[in-house]
Amino acid sequence: MSEPTIFELSSPGRTGVTFPQADVPSTPLPDTLIRENLPLPELSEVDVVRHFTRLSRMNYCIDYGIYPLGSCTMKYNPRINEATARFPGFAYTHPLQPEETIQGNLYLMYHLQEWLKEIAGFSAVSLQPAAGAHGELTGILMIRAYHQHRGDTKRTRVLIPDSAHGTNPATSAMSGFEVVPVPTDKNGNVDLEILRSLLDDTIAGIMLTNPNTLGLFEQNILEVTKLVHQVGGLVYGDGANLNALLGIARPGDLGIDVMHFNLHKTFSTPHGGGGPGAGPVGASERLKDFLPGPIVEIVEEGNEDYPPLYGFREPKYSIGRVKSFYGHFGIMIRAYTYIAMHGPEGLRKVAENAVINANYLQARLRGTYKIPYDRICMHEFVVEGKWADAPEIIALDISKRLMDYDFHPPTNYFPLIVHDALMIEPTETESKQTLDAFADALIKIAEEAHTQPELLKSAPHNTPVRRVDEVKAAKDLVLCCWLPEEQQ
């Protein structure tokens, strides 16, 4: 990398801070606290600012360009979300304040619950879970609690379509269930014949992602939910891809009993690096009493002169808290702002534009890249990053070469049911010009794969860091700082 470390930039005697003269007598530190060697870098303020500014310009981010990570929904985060999240009345609230003093916060949480109920067609919502996978775990624990509450202890198996997110089987196993995979049919849907053969009174439920990880709407969802309900099982909806359905279809109306919302994906807030996120859970009438608490409710009705009084309540058969205090409040503010700014018609346009953008991009790439399940897609789609007449090229090479064209790569090797998968999600916030530039780069790379494959195998060429060893980078972590020899 061309940028030296901050230790290499260090120059003896240079300072960025001048401490004021002490106005109290100096006191020696205890010997046990004194180090013999403390090699801190010595730089001026401008040295530090320029160093970190140069480093920041080496990072690719959503504020720089398209971030087409399928399944991750890295869409633009409207700046007004950040402004409202920093309102002093929100930012400086302490979670241990009395309810009477945080009525504004509770108003926001209550109405966010109500909006999420309406958007997804559920009877109740809990805002507690901290992220999507945490919401999954919450939902499956609710299904387990429901069966146990009824004394139905023979239900030990959870069905997971092979087009599900990888967290689904992990969630079920962590909750004590046996995971039963369900294969996908040739059209990208749950294979109904095999599903029927697996159903009996040991089925606790099914975890269904819709649209699934192929970017396809589950065409048989009404039949799937009916079949599972007929044997006494429940349906968990993985709501990670709800942004494709906003204002168009409601999971609760499709037979989903419990579902998590990825607030940070569906209602903005970029979440690269594992956070921040929020994974509220919505439940049908039969499961709402099992939601984690506390939930915000109106505890005293208002009138023309006084607003209602909001407070916390525990659901009747709640599985208990799943998060300290009340969840990730800052993300709730951003989601509330996003929903309020768009309104019902705006949210529908979000979904429509996300679907149109993905289908436009898919159409541009059809014929150049193989599309294994070639249907009208939802907000994302999957192509194969491999050609029979260019056998040495794999999906990873394509992604590395994309970086030379100044684009962030799409998701690689997911879902697992597609060979050398490239999963692309442009999001609704990208213009036609950006989509065309991205498609042009992918088409050019496909041409290079056949005429100059070495360009792809050795890519990237134009980035601060060339191709890294992914396995070594992931498993051989060096997290301590490196010091020049003279400072060691």
Side-chain angles (χ1 to χ4, degrees):
M1 191 166 68
S2 59
E3 179 66 17
T5 69
I6 200 164
F7 294 97
E8 292 171 311
L9 292 172
S10 177
S11 178
R14 190 171 296 176
T15 62
V17 176
T18 302
F19 291 103
Q21 191 70 32
D23 57 0
V24 294
S26 62
T27 301
L29 287 171
D31 291 342
T32 56
L33 297 181
I34 297 177
R35 304 183 200 180
E36 293 185 359
N37 184 27
L38 184 60
L40 294 175
E42 298 173 78
L43 302 104
S44 68
E45 180 179 295
V46 70
D47 290 335
V48 174
V49 170
R50 287 175 179 167
H51 171 67
F52 286 106
T53 299
R54 286 193 294 269
L55 285 178
S56 72
R57 292 171 69 179
M58 295 179 187
N59 285 330
Y60 195 99
C61 60
I62 192 65
D63 289 336
Y64 175 81
I66 183 173
Y67 214 114
L69 279 179
S71 192
C72 283
T73 316
M74 294 293 285
K75 65 184 183 183
Y76 180 71
N77 184 43
R79 287 299 181 267
I80 191 170
N81 293 3
E82 301 305 312
T84 54
R86 286 166 174 74
F87 283 169
F90 292 141
Y92 300 139
T93 308
H94 193 284
L96 291 179
Q97 282 184 226
E99 293 176 10
E100 299 78 26
T101 68
I102 54 169
Q103 286 297 299
N105 301 48
L106 297 183
Y107 172 96
L108 183 146
M109 294 172 72
Y110 175 80
H111 286 281
L112 180 58
Q113 289 173 186
E114 293 297 300
W115 286 348
L116 294 177
K117 283 165 54 180
E118 175 62 25
I119 287 170
F122 288 121
S123 297
V125 166
S126 170
L127 301 174
Q128 273 235 317
H134 194 202
E136 286 181 29
L137 179 64
T138 301
I140 292 300
L141 291 177
M142 289 169 59
I143 289 178
R144 188 179 72 172
Y146 170 82
H147 291 309
Q148 290 178 343
H149 179 75
R150 299 170 69 244
D152 194 353
T153 57
K154 62 182 175 301
R155 297 187 181 275
T156 57
R157 302 194 300 158
V158 171
L159 302 169
I160 312 280
D162 61 7
S163 62
H165 286 108
T167 47
N168 288 182
T171 291
S172 296
M174 286 179 65
S175 303
F177 289 109
E178 176 191 351
V179 175
V180 180
V182 185
T184 296
D185 69 15
K186 64 180 181 180
N187 296 316
N189 299 308
V190 170
D191 191 311
L192 283 179
E193 287 307 310
I194 295 179
L195 175 67
R196 289 190 181 93
S197 72
L198 296 171
L199 292 173
D200 58 28
D201 61 2
T202 68
I203 295 297
I206 186 171
M207 295 188 78
L208 193 69
T209 304
N210 187 36
N212 63 26
T213 59
L214 294 166
L216 303 175
F217 188 84
E218 178 61 49
Q219 294 170 308
N220 302 316
I221 187 167
L222 294 177
E223 183 68 7
V224 170
T225 57
K226 186 179 80 172
L227 289 171
V228 174
H229 286 152
Q230 282 177 344
V231 297
L234 298 177
V235 181
Y236 183 85
D238 184 323
N241 295 336
L242 181 66
N243 59 322
L245 304 180
L246 289 174
I248 299 172
R250 305 198 309 171
D253 297 338
L254 301 174
I256 304 294
D257 294 293
V258 54
M259 184 193 85
H260 78 264
F261 303 78
N262 288 82
L263 291 190
H264 47 286
K265 291 173 64 174
T266 305
F267 305 111
S268 72
T269 307
H271 57 289
V281 169
S284 62
E285 192 65 24
R286 79 173 100 185
L287 277 182
K288 69 177 187 180
D289 289 337
F290 296 88
L291 283 166
I295 288 174
V296 181
E297 287 199 345
I298 294 176
V299 295
E300 188 176 309
E301 292 293 342
N303 55 42
E304 291 183 356
D305 298 320
Y306 296 97
L309 183 68
Y310 298 94
F312 292 114
R313 179 188 70 84
E314 291 292 328
K316 189 175 181 181
Y317 305 121
S318 174
I319 63 170
R321 283 180 180 268
V322 295
K323 180 80 174 70
S324 58
F325 299 113
Y326 314 112
H328 285 168
F329 183 63
I331 306 304
M332 297 176 203
I333 299 170
R334 291 169 171 85
Y336 179 95
T337 306
Y338 188 87
I339 296 171
M341 290 291 293
H342 282 86
E345 293 183 5
L347 291 179
R348 184 182 176 100
K349 283 190 177 297
V350 165
E352 290 175 343
N353 288 345
V355 172
I356 289 170
N357 278 3
N359 277 281
Y360 177 75
L361 209 47
Q362 181 178 248
R364 284 285 323 266
L365 299 179
R366 183 176 287 120
T368 303
Y369 290 82
K370 181 182 178 182
I371 302 171
Y373 297 92
D374 196 356
R375 287 169 37 192
I376 296 293
C377 67
M378 300 300 286
H379 62 302
E380 59 191 359
F381 63 100
V382 179
V383 302
E384 285 188 7
K386 198 166 183 59
W387 297 273
D389 53 353
E392 68 272 36
I393 298 299
I394 59 176
L396 181 68
D397 301 324
I398 297 169
S399 288
K400 296 296 185 186
R401 184 62 176 149
L402 256 176
M403 296 165 73
D404 284 334
Y405 285 89
D406 217 14
F407 289 109
H408 193 285
T411 298
N412 278 214
Y413 301 108
F414 183 77
L416 300 178
I417 57 176
V418 174
H419 190 54
D420 267 275
L422 290 171
M423 190 180 192
I424 301 170
E425 180 176 2
T427 78
E428 74 283 354
T429 47
E430 299 301 338
S431 68
K432 180 176 180 296
Q433 288 75 17
T434 299
L435 298 180
D436 279 333
F438 182 66
D440 290 343
L442 279 170
I443 292 169
K444 178 66 176 174
I445 291 171
E447 178 186 326
E448 292 173 348
H450 292 84
T451 57
Q452 301 173 279
E454 68 281 0
L455 267 181
L456 278 67
K457 299 302 292 185
S458 55
H461 305 273
N462 307 323
T463 52
V465 177
R466 298 288 297 276
R467 183 177 294 214
V468 298
D469 182 330
E470 277 85 3
V471 176
K472 184 176 176 59
K475 294 187 175 181
D476 188 12
L477 300 178
V478 180
L479 300 177
C480 62
C481 64
W482 172 85
L483 295 175
E485 186 174 344
E486 62 271 16
Q487 295 191 29
Q488 291 180 1

